[in-house]
Amino acid sequence: MPNARTLTVIDSHTGGEPTRVVVDGLPPLETNDPAAVRDQLRSQHDWVRTSLTHEPFGAPWMVGAAMLPPVSDGAAAGVVFFNNTGYLGMCGHGLIGLVATLRHMRRIEPGTHRFDTPAGLVTARLHEDESVSFRNVPSFRLKTGVVVESTEFGRLEGDIAYGGNWFYLASVPALDPAELDRYTRATRQIKLALSAQGVTGPDGEEVDHIELFAPPSGPECNSRNFVLCPGDEYDRSPCGTGLSAKLACQAADDALPPGEEWVQESITGSRFRGSYEPTKEGVLPTIRGSADVVAECRVFVETGVAAGAIDAG
């Protein structure tokens, strides 16, 4: 394909949730600062995102990661996360996938590594067993007692919290993996209800992640969750930023002591482990999980499509 751009990507999954890391082929960028790169990709090169998260090569549940040279002293890399509808400030499962990808590329060894993200500097540790833990950005609860009505669950009362993305978190009696369509409908409805009520982050940010909690499948976990992500796809993993938001709520309620581990089970049965250190504003969460590399690919994008012909819907 002589008139095609080539993106080299490495695919992994973290607890069932995919991450597609672009390791080569990004268009020329004015800077390596992740927040500025995010804005430039969105305004000038959105074809990168749509090529990797839309058909025919992508899928609605795909999360992408543009790997960048580091900007902070001692950082291993920078990264911008994106999905089928837009760009993310941070992505917990995606960061674990990025670390696994760098390990696969033999660019890092077990130890502590730092990463520049649009949400701030994030520290991760690659353990000898190839699991990954990361210190997320400061997380906090903004509001409590936020009421919404759901046709599936009736009246819900939940929290608004930040864990790298904005979340609405509420408890429900049970979560059955056989009822994914039902939970997807319910969480979409909740997101629309929050928007209609004008519930946002402190600067008008959309609360674009909805997280439901219920008792786990067994005593080895603390709870099971279902997370609706932007683009109206559910998270196959337990959601790292969602667990960070959950830890912030637990700390605000004095329901989990600092340093004590919370084991979060996803709707698919995969698990993350989380704990936190308190801060004046909230918590500093640490999340641990594992990722597996599953493919290396070269993606060819026709130049007409790369110029913006891919439908972003």
Side-chain angles (χ1 to χ4, degrees):
M1 300 178 67
N3 295 319
R5 296 176 184 250
T6 302
L7 297 172
T8 302
V9 303
I10 295 178
D11 284 0
S12 64
H13 77 86
T14 308
E17 184 73 358
T19 307
R20 178 164 286 163
V21 179
V22 184
V23 299
D24 191 34
L26 289 175
L29 299 168
E30 298 170 0
T31 175
N32 290 321
D33 175 73
V37 169
R38 174 199 59 199
D39 295 342
Q40 188 179 356
L41 289 174
R42 180 190 290 127
S43 63
Q44 301 176 35
H45 306 293
D46 202 41
W47 62 268
V48 174
R49 179 186 67 83
T50 56
S51 299
L52 300 179
T53 62
H54 291 194
E55 294 184 22
F57 185 62
W61 52 85
M62 179 59 66
V63 171
M67 188 169 67
L68 308 169
V71 292
S72 300
D73 290 342
V79 62
V80 173
F81 295 106
F82 51 85
N83 67 2
N84 64 322
T85 60
Y87 297 83
L88 306 172
M90 231 299 279
C91 180
H93 94 266
L95 184 69
I96 295 173
L98 174 64
V99 173
T101 295
L102 289 169
R103 169 184 55 79
H104 174 77
M105 297 173 71
R106 299 184 180 179
R107 287 183 47 176
I108 61 171
E109 295 181 351
T112 300
H113 308 278
R114 300 194 302 167
F115 298 89
D116 296 303
T117 79
L121 192 65
V122 177
T123 300
R125 181 171 183 80
L126 175 60
H127 298 271
E128 292 290 344
D129 65 359
E130 298 188 352
S131 67
V132 177
S133 58
F134 67 92
R135 171 72 61 82
N136 198 11
V137 298
S139 303
F140 59 94
R141 183 168 70 183
L142 179 69
K143 299 177 183 179
T144 189
V146 178
V147 175
V148 296
E149 293 290 338
S150 164
T151 56
E152 300 292 337
F153 295 108
R155 183 181 185 273
L156 292 176
E157 186 172 322
D159 296 330
I160 303 296
Y162 181 77
N165 297 297
W166 282 102
F167 285 82
Y168 176 79
L169 308 94
S171 294
V172 296
L175 289 170
D176 184 345
E179 295 191 84
L180 294 172
D181 290 344
R182 178 190 176 207
Y183 306 143
T184 300
R185 287 194 305 270
T187 48
R188 287 173 178 170
Q189 186 181 50
I190 292 167
K191 185 162 67 170
L192 290 173
L194 292 170
S195 178
Q197 294 176 29
V199 178
T200 68
D203 296 317
E205 303 95 336
E206 181 186 5
V207 180
D208 56 3
H209 290 68
I210 310 299
E211 186 165 15
L212 304 178
F213 291 90
S217 62
E220 63 274 10
C221 297
N222 294 90
S223 73
R224 169 180 278 174
N225 67 359
F226 177 92
V227 182
L228 185 77
C229 299
D232 290 344
E233 284 293 330
Y234 74 92
D235 198 327
R236 277 73 172 165
S237 82
C239 188
T241 56
L243 178 50
S244 297
K246 176 66 172 180
L247 292 171
C249 295
Q250 292 288 97
D253 289 335
D254 293 324
L256 184 73
E260 186 169 317
E261 191 174 72
W262 179 276
V263 183
Q264 186 61 58
E265 179 185 25
S266 76
I267 193 66
T268 66
S270 56
R271 300 173 186 175
F272 284 169
R273 298 177 180 274
S275 61
Y276 72 89
E277 297 176 16
T279 68
K280 290 182 179 180
E281 295 77 20
V283 302
L284 282 176
T286 296
I287 311 298
R288 185 166 179 170
S290 298
D292 296 298
V293 171
V294 295
E296 297 182 2
C297 308
R298 287 193 300 159
V299 182
F300 302 110
V301 184
E302 295 182 27
T303 52
V305 172
I310 291 180
D311 181 7

